Amino acid sequence: MSFNLTGKVAIVTGGGSGLGREICLSLAKAGAKIVIADINPVSGQETINDITQLQREATFFELDVADSRRVSEMTRSVVERFGAIDILVNSAGITKRLPPLDFPEEDFDRIIAVNLKGTFLCCQAAARQMAKQGGGKIVNLTSIGGMVGLPNTVAYCASKGGVVQLTRALAIDLAPSKINVNAVAPSLANTPIATTVFQNKQTLDWFLSKVPLGRLCEPSDVSEAVLFLSSFASDFITGHVLAVDGGYLAQ
């Protein structure tokens, strides 16, 4: 099934790299106008260049999602330029791998601020505009780490578990405004982050042994799931967490 997002305005946080960039490209190919909200202007411009090659419209807004003032400025800027916010994809996220007994408090706070608080702030700001318009689609990026424990990622797992519950709670509260709120939960994706996690073949083989489909999640696996939840095909789906994990959580 092909999804037509022509005329829709989509904000993608963390759209400068990794899964966020792949999501931007997928939504752009479907016809959406893309707002890349990212803390890194250089990578944001690279995503714009990729979208421009598709002959689609894109703009960049430098954003730390944990800064409520900048989040408000972003949504105001988007509405002034495009007149609407139809889709919000919260893809911005950070992590740090350390044993929990050695985990610095400042790193824990920053991960919660970006992954959980930042997701909430962007949802809140975008939903205010969506409610005025009569509806919209919000898709949050969580992780299998939001539903099962993963080694040496205590802050990340806590933040992503929070995103799961945030998604469900918002779905209930925003349903009367015709705003669908869903989440996508990938297993570890084949991005540069995976290279740092799997520094040796033994670790990679251990992880793949837990994935019934026997491979890493590809960025396109995630972007296609996000595209579905951003489209008309998901109009009667809200509060759902879609695992894109090759069967990891089925065991």
Side-chain angles (χ1 to χ4, degrees):
M1 178 184 292
S2 61
F3 302 111
N4 188 348
L5 300 180
T6 301
K8 300 294 185 182
V9 179
I11 299 172
V12 181
T13 71
S17 60
L19 296 178
R21 177 175 292 176
E22 189 72 21
I23 290 166
C24 286
L25 294 174
S26 181
L27 297 179
K29 288 175 184 176
K33 302 172 185 177
I34 308 298
V35 179
I36 302 144
D38 199 285
I39 201 167
N40 187 332
V42 174
S43 61
Q45 185 59 53
E46 290 172 354
T47 302
I48 287 180
N49 294 341
D50 290 344
I51 293 173
T52 301
Q53 292 180 8
L54 299 173
Q55 298 184 324
R56 302 297 190 188
E57 186 173 358
T59 188
F60 174 77
F61 191 94
E62 186 173 347
L63 179 68
D64 177 350
V65 295
D67 183 338
S68 59
R69 180 183 60 84
R70 287 294 287 168
V71 170
S72 296
E73 290 173 357
M74 176 196 65
T75 53
R76 183 167 59 250
S77 173
V78 172
V79 174
E80 288 175 355
R81 173 163 179 170
F82 295 108
I85 300 173
D86 301 298
I87 299 163
L88 168 68
V89 181
N90 284 301
S91 181
I94 58 174
T95 189
K96 185 167 188 173
R97 291 177 56 83
L98 277 175
L101 301 187
D102 300 324
F103 212 95
E105 180 182 357
E106 59 271 23
D107 290 330
F108 190 96
D109 289 346
R110 180 58 179 166
I111 290 170
I112 295 295
V114 172
N115 296 3
L116 180 54
K117 177 187 173 182
T119 297
F120 167 71
L121 291 175
C122 291
C123 286
Q124 183 185 56
R128 285 172 175 157
Q129 175 61 30
M130 291 175 177
K132 295 177 184 177
Q133 300 167 191
K137 298 291 180 74
I138 295 175
V139 184
N140 298 322
L141 266 288
T142 180
S143 163
I144 59 170
M147 290 174 278
V148 297
L150 299 175
N152 295 328
T153 54
V154 60
Y156 181 78
C157 287
S159 70
K160 292 302 187 178
V163 171
V164 168
Q165 288 300 90
L166 176 68
T167 297
R168 292 168 175 160
L170 285 175
I172 294 169
D173 289 333
L174 298 180
S177 298
K178 294 182 170 40
I179 301 172
N180 300 65
V181 187
N182 294 290
V184 173
S187 57
L188 194 65
N190 191 13
T191 64
I193 291 178
T195 303
T196 64
V197 174
F198 299 129
Q199 294 181 351
N200 61 71
K201 186 176 184 300
Q202 184 178 3
T203 306
L204 176 59
D205 290 344
W206 168 82
F207 180 81
L208 293 180
S209 71
K210 293 177 171 292
V211 181
L213 289 183
R215 65 171 175 85
L216 290 176
C217 173
E218 293 295 333
S220 59
D221 296 322
V222 178
S223 66
E224 290 300 302
V226 171
L227 177 59
F228 164 69
L229 291 173
S230 302
S231 76
F232 69 92
S234 65
D235 282 353
F236 201 59
I237 301 173
T238 198
H240 182 71
V241 180
L242 176 57
V244 182
D245 66 349
Y248 187 106
L249 294 177
Q251 300 183 87

